[in-house]
Amino acid sequence: MLFSDSQPDPLRTALPWQHPFSELGAAFSISAPPTPLPQPYWVAQSDLVAQLLHLPSGWQRSAHWLEAMTGNTALENSQAQASVYSGHQFGVWAGQLGDGRAILLGQLHGWEVQLKGAGRTPFSRMGDGRAVLRSSIREFLACEAMHGLQIPTTRALCVTGSLAPVQRETAETAAVLCRSAPSFLRFGHFEHFSYGGTAQSLQTLADYVIERYYPACQLAPGDAGNRYAALLAAVTQASARLVAQWQAVGFCHGVLNTDNMSMLGLTLDYGPFQFLDGFDPGHICNHSDPQGRYAYDQQPGVVRWNLYCLGQALLPLIGSTELALQALQPFESEFSAAYRQAMADKLGADSASPGLDPLLADLLALLARERVDYPIFWRRLSHWARQQAPDDRSVHDLFLDTTGIDAWLGAYVQALGPGDWGQRSQRMLAKNPKYVLRNHVAERAIQAAREGDFAVLSQVLRVLETPYQEHPEAESLADFPPDWAAQIQVSCSS
Ligand code: AMP
Ligand code: MG
C-alpha cells in the first residue's frame, strides 16, 4: 500500500520519544549508532510489551519495524546512545565495563527501549557488540516469564535474527534483543561516577534517579537524614524483596556482579541464569563460576554485598558512614520478612503462624536430601492440599524416603489446622507456578528456532505469560527435565 502526505504510513509515524537520560549530558552517555546486520528475520515478539510501549498496530508484520529492531534503520526521533558504567565482577573491582552492547533508543511512555547486540559502542572494549540467537531467546523468554511470575524484571519486546556469524565457544549466528524497563541504571553507574567521575556528576545521577524513580526520597526540610541515604535505603528494600522472590521461586541469576544489579530492584541481564530443577541449595548455574560465588543459596548474601558497594559509591553524597550503614541495615529484616511471606504463600499458610519456620526448615531439608524437583513438588502439594487423601500418592511418590515425607505431610496438615483446604489449594495454585523457564524448555525453543521453526518459542512464551494456569495442551513443558538437560551448559559468554 502507498501512503501519501495526507495519509502517512502509521508504521513510520514518529513516536513520542523522550530522551531524559541522554539530556544529562556527554559524561553519562554518548552517541552509538547500531551496526546493520544482513537479512534480518523475526524470531519472537511480545504483544504485552508492545502494548506498554503503545506501538502502532501491525508492527509485528512490518518490514520497517524488522529493520528498525535489528538496528538497520532508525525509528524517527529515536537517538542511539550508549551509557557508561563500571562495576565489581566476581568480587573484584573491574573498572569500566559498559555498556558494550546495549544501545538506548530513548524512552516511550516512560519505558526506556534498548537494542542489545546491535553492534559495538564506544564502551565495547574487546567485545564485538553482538549477541547470539541462543542467549537472546533465553533473555527474551526469561524477561517475560519473570513478569508472568509477578517478579520485578526488565521486559522484552522482540528478538530479530540474522545469519551473520558470531564467534563464541562455537560459531553461532547473530540476534538483537529489544528490551525495555523504566530505567536500566545499575549499581555500576554509581560506582563509575564515584570512583572515576566528579562529585557533581555523581550527584547529578543520584538526583536524576531520585526525582524520576524514588520521589519519596526527596525529604522535606527538617527531616532527619538526607535524600541520598533515603535512596540507598529504598534500593536496599527493593533488592531485598527481589532476591527473596528469586529464592522462593528457585531462580539463580548466575552473574550477580554489581553492574548487573538494577537501581530499581528489577531482575536485569539474563545470562547463564537457571530455574532450579531438583532442589539443591548449593546449585551453581554458571559454568564460568566454579567457586560458586553466585550459587543459589549465596544470592541473598551477594545482593547484600553488592548493596554495600552501592553504599560505598554513594558515600560522598550521604556524607556519613553511620547514615549509610543505617540505610543498609534493614536488608536482613526486609529479606527475611519477604522470604517468609513468599514461602508461607507457597504452603498456603499464615506467615504469622509460629510453627511455620520449623515446618519449612524440615521440608527444605527433605527436598535437598533427595534433590526433589522443586517446581513439581510445589505444584503437586498445591493439588494434594485440596483433599489430603491418603490414597493420593502424588507428593509421596516424589521421594525415596517416604517415611520422611509422610511424617512431614502429617505435621503440615496439623500445623495449618482445619480451615477450608479447598480454598487453600486454590490460593496455593496461584502461588506455585506450573510452568517455569527451565533450561530444557528454553533449549527446545532455541533448537526449533535454529531450524526456522518459531512456533515452539511462541507457545513457550504464551504459557509462561500465565504460568499458574493449567494449559493442558502444553503439559510436556511442565515435565521433569529429560536426561539430556543435564548436559546444557550456560556461561558468561553469550
Ligand atoms: P555481562 O557479563 O554480560 O554483564 O557483561 C559485562 C559487560 O561486558 C557489559 O557492559 C556488556 O555490555 C559487556 N559485553 C558483554 N558481551 C559483550 C560483547 N559481545 N561485546 C561488547 N561488550 C560486551
Ligand atoms: Mg551485564
Side-chain angles (χ1 to χ4, degrees):
M1 193 192 303
L2 292 175
F3 294 93
S4 65
D5 283 349
S6 59
Q7 256 190 325
D9 177 350
L11 290 165
R12 286 177 183 269
T13 45
L15 299 170
W17 288 104
Q18 294 194 317
H19 304 285
F21 189 73
S22 62
E23 283 157 16
L24 285 181
F28 301 94
S29 58
I30 49 181
S31 170
T35 310
L37 281 168
Q39 295 173 292
Y41 59 90
W42 286 116
V43 175
Q45 298 167 323
S46 159
D47 292 336
L48 294 180
V49 178
Q51 281 163 26
L52 288 178
L53 302 179
H54 299 254
L55 295 196
S57 68
W59 71 280
Q60 299 97 327
R61 291 170 298 284
S62 148
H64 171 65
W65 274 81
L66 171 60
E67 297 290 344
M69 292 294 93
T70 313
N72 293 354
T73 181
L75 290 168
E76 196 171 333
N77 294 344
S78 65
Q79 281 178 14
Q81 299 264 325
S83 79
V84 61
Y85 59 79
S86 296
H88 282 82
Q89 292 188 315
F90 290 88
V92 178
W93 176 244
Q96 183 178 310
L97 291 170
D99 205 320
R101 57 169 170 173
I103 294 173
L104 178 65
L105 301 181
Q107 239 184 43
L108 279 179
H109 301 278
W111 289 83
E112 287 189 354
V113 178
Q114 281 192 343
L115 296 183
K116 180 170 176 181
R120 303 197 55 176
T121 79
F123 309 118
S124 295
R125 299 172 292 149
M126 306 297 284
D128 57 10
R130 292 299 179 197
V132 297
L133 183 65
R134 163 183 57 93
S135 64
S136 303
I137 291 176
R138 279 173 56 87
E139 179 157 2
F140 173 84
L141 287 174
C143 290
E144 295 311 290
M146 212 52 137
H147 177 72
L149 293 166
Q150 293 151 23
I151 299 177
T153 178
T154 62
R155 304 295 301 277
L157 173 67
C158 61
V159 176
T160 66
S162 161
L163 290 183
V166 174
Q167 188 60 40
R168 293 294 180 260
E169 276 126 4
T170 59
E172 304 193 39
T173 59
V176 178
L177 169 73
C178 178
R179 62 182 186 175
S180 200
S183 167
F184 283 97
L185 281 171
R186 303 144 189 272
F187 291 10
H189 280 99
F190 287 86
E191 294 179 286
H192 182 83
F193 289 98
S194 190
Y195 307 135
T198 60
Q200 184 54 50
S201 58
L202 183 65
Q203 184 172 349
T204 301
L205 194 63
D207 288 343
Y208 175 85
V209 171
I210 291 171
E211 276 151 31
R212 298 199 146 248
Y213 305 104
Y214 290 101
C217 295
Q218 304 181 67
L219 303 183
D223 282 349
N226 65 52
R227 63 199 325 235
Y228 307 109
L231 173 65
L232 180 59
V235 179
T236 298
Q237 196 174 62
S239 309
R241 289 185 186 155
L242 177 68
V243 67
Q245 300 296 311
W246 290 348
Q247 299 308 104
V249 79
F251 174 77
C252 308
H253 181 286
V255 211
L256 282 175
N257 293 332
T258 55
D259 57 303
N260 290 336
M261 293 286 302
S262 152
M263 284 299 288
L264 304 192
L266 308 173
T267 316
L268 169 66
D269 275 10
Y270 295 86
F273 71 87
Q274 190 179 359
F275 285 86
L276 291 181
D277 296 311
F279 184 66
D280 172 7
H283 183 70
I284 304 167
C285 63
N286 182 355
H287 189 55
S288 320
D289 179 22
Q291 307 287 327
R293 179 179 169 84
Y294 299 137
Y296 166 72
D297 63 358
Q298 299 301 302
Q299 297 187 120
V302 156
V303 168
R304 182 175 177 278
W305 191 92
N306 290 339
L307 284 160
Y308 274 74
C309 290
L310 178 64
Q312 185 77 46
L314 289 173
L315 205 51
L317 299 177
I318 295 174
S320 128
T321 310
E322 200 188 334
L323 270 182
L325 289 172
Q326 260 175 35
L328 291 161
Q329 198 251 336
F331 178 85
E332 277 81 5
S333 54
E334 275 300 328
F335 170 77
S336 304
Y339 179 70
R340 203 161 191 281
Q341 182 66 57
M343 297 311 282
D345 288 347
K346 289 174 86 67
L347 286 165
D350 179 349
S351 64
S353 129
L356 181 66
D357 290 336
L359 195 67
L360 192 55
D362 289 350
L363 172 62
L364 294 180
L366 280 173
L367 293 175
R369 199 175 307 148
E370 298 188 32
R371 305 275 192 266
V372 173
D373 190 279
Y374 192 69
I376 289 180
F377 168 80
W378 287 107
R379 192 71 184 180
R380 288 197 187 177
L381 184 71
S382 310
H383 285 294
W384 179 89
R386 196 161 61 85
Q387 295 191 306
Q388 311 127 57
D391 61 344
D392 176 351
R393 317 289 274 182
S394 56
V395 174
H396 173 105
D397 285 349
L398 290 170
F399 294 79
L400 291 171
D401 172 11
T402 51
T403 320
I405 187 60
D406 288 345
W408 184 86
L409 287 170
Y412 168 58
V413 171
Q414 202 169 20
L416 268 64
D420 183 338
W421 281 80
Q423 267 188 16
R424 175 168 288 143
S425 164
Q426 285 306 317
R427 286 201 312 271
M428 290 167 73
L429 288 167
K431 295 290 178 181
N432 293 304
K434 176 166 177 181
Y435 298 95
V436 292
L437 182 61
R438 299 174 190 253
N439 270 350
H440 76 272
V441 172
E443 198 62 25
R444 282 207 235 172
I446 292 165
Q447 291 305 344
R450 279 184 170 150
E451 286 159 23
D453 168 9
F454 306 107
V456 181
L457 210 174
S458 310
Q459 186 194 37
V460 171
L461 171 65
R462 194 169 44 76
V463 166
L464 293 176
E465 283 175 344
T466 50
Y468 301 99
Q469 290 178 15
E470 281 297 319
H471 301 286
E473 75 293 351
E475 201 72 34
S476 71
L477 299 177
D479 268 352
F480 292 97
D483 289 344
W484 58 260
Q487 313 305 321
I488 301 172
Q489 285 192 343
V490 283
S491 68
C492 287
S493 151
S494 59

